[in-house]
């Protein structure tokens, strides 16, 4: 029994020693191997020396102990910020004076778009920024009366457009921002409008049994300032605006 216990103890000690031996602890034997180990130790020592110098320079640059005392001969932080803003203003002033006149050579007279261009595309652009999500969005506006739809086709088009149609101004408004660029979103809007017009012109199903509902345009009346409180110029302007709206009547859609 004691012999078996001794053999078991030796086996357990051998396994424990094998588990605790690391590869880094085993050193090769021989002259060549010793030279390689010496070179490696020298390389490690040189690296430690370089790191110590770098850390010392960083401590000198950012350490509060190395900062000299303030002798009250310089601006504070907000003063330097103010000077930086003045430099920016002067920079753009120089560009306005010397560079802006050179752009007159590339100027072209403004011309109104032809009457055939009935689509209006709107997009935003942020100066100095690229690939912003809000810059990808494109908005399409078009007067439905200029699409050449009448009768059942116009009624079906209004039904397909849904809440994107504004009956007060007879305007269709659609927006798109799913594509990665504004040009692709513009192309997608144009294709969608073409598909809507083509679908409205189909005679297989005119949706005659579906009523046109503009309940989504019903808003609570907002309190307005009485006109007698306004100046004479403001009253004249509002009167002219109301007359112009009365002349431009929206397209009538049969419900």
């Amino acid at each position: 029994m004691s012999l078996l216990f001794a053999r078991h103890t030796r086996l357990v000690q051998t396994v424990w020693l094998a588990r605790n031996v690391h590869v880094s602890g085993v050193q090769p034997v021989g002259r060549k191997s010793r030279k390689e180990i010496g070179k490696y130790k020298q390389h490690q020592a040189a690296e430690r020396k370089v790191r110590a110098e770098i850390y010392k320079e960083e401590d000198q640059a950012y350490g509060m102990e190395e900062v000299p005392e303030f002798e009250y001969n310089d601006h504070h932080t907000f003063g330097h910020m103010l000077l930086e803003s003045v430099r920016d203003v002067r920079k753009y002033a120089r560009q306005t004076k010397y560079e802006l006149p050179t752009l007159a050579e590339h100027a072209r007279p403004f011309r109104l778009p032809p009457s055939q261009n009935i689509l209006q595309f709107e997009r935003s652009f942020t100066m100095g920024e690229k690939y912003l999500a809000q810059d990808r969005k494109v908005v399409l506006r078009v007067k439905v009366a200029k699409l050449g739809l009448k009768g059942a086709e116009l009624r079906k088009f209004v039904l397909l457009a849904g809440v994107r149609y504004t009956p007060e101004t007879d305007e269709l408004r659609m927006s798109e921002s799913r594509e990665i660029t504004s040009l692709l979103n513009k192309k997608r809007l144009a294709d969608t409008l073409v598909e809507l017009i083509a679908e409205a012109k189909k005679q297989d199903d005119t949706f005659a049994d579906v009523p046109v509902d503009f309940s989504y345009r019903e808003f609570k009346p907002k309190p307005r300032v009485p006109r007698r409180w306004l100046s004479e110029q403001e009253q004249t302007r509002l009167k002219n605006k109301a007359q112009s709206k009365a002349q431009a009547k929206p397209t009538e859609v049969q419900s």
Side-chain angles (χ1 to χ4, degrees):
M1 186 68 180
S2 59
L3 182 60
L4 291 175
F5 180 75
R7 288 180 179 179
H8 178 72
T9 304
R10 289 178 183 177
L11 181 61
V12 170
Q13 290 178 354
T14 305
V15 173
W16 182 82
L17 288 174
R19 287 181 178 177
N20 286 273
V21 172
H22 196 269
V23 178
S24 60
V26 179
Q27 298 182 357
V29 182
R31 293 183 179 179
K32 187 176 180 180
S33 301
R34 291 174 181 173
K35 289 182 180 180
E36 292 178 355
I37 294 173
K39 292 180 180 179
Y40 177 74
K41 289 183 178 180
Q42 292 177 1
H43 176 70
Q44 290 291 98
E47 279 193 355
R48 286 194 295 270
K49 186 177 180 181
V50 172
R51 289 183 192 138
E53 293 178 356
I54 294 174
Y55 295 152
K56 185 177 180 181
E57 292 178 359
E58 290 182 353
D59 292 340
Q60 292 177 356
Y62 300 103
M64 296 301 296
E65 297 177 357
E66 304 294 335
V67 177
E69 293 185 3
F70 184 66
E71 299 179 358
Y72 301 94
N73 57 354
D74 192 7
H75 284 290
H76 47 74
T77 303
F78 295 101
H80 283 287
M81 292 171 63
L82 178 61
L83 292 176
E84 188 66 24
S85 63
V86 172
R87 295 189 193 101
D88 290 339
V89 172
R90 290 179 177 177
K91 171 187 173 183
Y92 290 112
R94 286 193 297 268
Q95 292 181 354
T96 304
K97 183 176 181 180
Y98 298 107
E99 298 182 14
L100 192 60
T102 60
L103 300 178
E105 304 173 359
H106 308 281
R108 292 181 294 179
F110 173 74
R111 296 178 181 177
L112 291 173
S115 58
Q116 293 82 3
N117 298 349
I118 61 175
L119 303 182
Q120 299 180 4
F121 293 94
E122 300 176 2
R123 63 177 291 260
S124 62
F125 177 74
T126 305
M127 296 290 292
E129 298 291 343
K130 293 184 179 180
Y131 311 112
L132 293 181
Q134 59 266 27
D135 292 345
R136 297 200 306 261
K137 183 179 179 180
V138 181
V139 180
L140 168 63
R141 297 176 183 271
V142 59
K143 294 289 184 179
V144 178
K146 297 181 180 180
L147 297 178
L149 302 175
K150 297 181 180 179
E153 296 178 355
L154 176 61
R155 184 178 183 279
K156 185 177 180 180
F157 182 85
V158 171
L159 286 173
L160 293 175
V163 297
R164 298 170 183 83
Y165 174 72
T166 305
E168 291 83 2
T169 58
D170 189 36
E171 186 180 60
L172 175 69
R173 182 183 181 279
M174 297 189 299
S175 62
E176 185 61 58
S177 60
R178 283 178 287 182
E179 302 294 342
I180 58 176
T181 61
S182 59
L183 291 177
L184 293 177
N185 287 319
K186 181 179 179 181
K187 178 67 167 54
R188 193 184 185 100
L189 284 174
D191 295 342
T192 304
L193 181 62
V194 171
E195 292 176 1
L196 280 174
I197 296 174
E199 188 66 27
K201 290 183 178 180
K202 290 183 180 179
Q203 301 297 330
D204 53 353
D205 189 1
T206 59
F207 300 108
D209 56 337
V210 180
V212 179
D213 185 17
F214 293 140
S215 59
Y216 59 89
R217 296 297 304 174
E218 295 179 0
F219 298 99
K220 295 182 179 180
K222 296 182 180 179
R224 297 183 179 180
V225 179
R227 287 196 175 185
R228 63 178 183 274
W229 293 0
L230 303 176
S231 61
E232 295 181 358
Q233 297 178 355
E234 189 68 17
Q235 292 181 13
T236 306
R237 188 186 67 82
L238 293 176
K239 185 177 180 180
N240 296 336
K241 185 178 180 181
Q243 292 177 357
S244 61
K245 282 186 177 181
Q247 293 176 0
K249 294 181 180 180
T251 304
E252 295 182 359
V253 180
Q254 298 178 358
S255 58

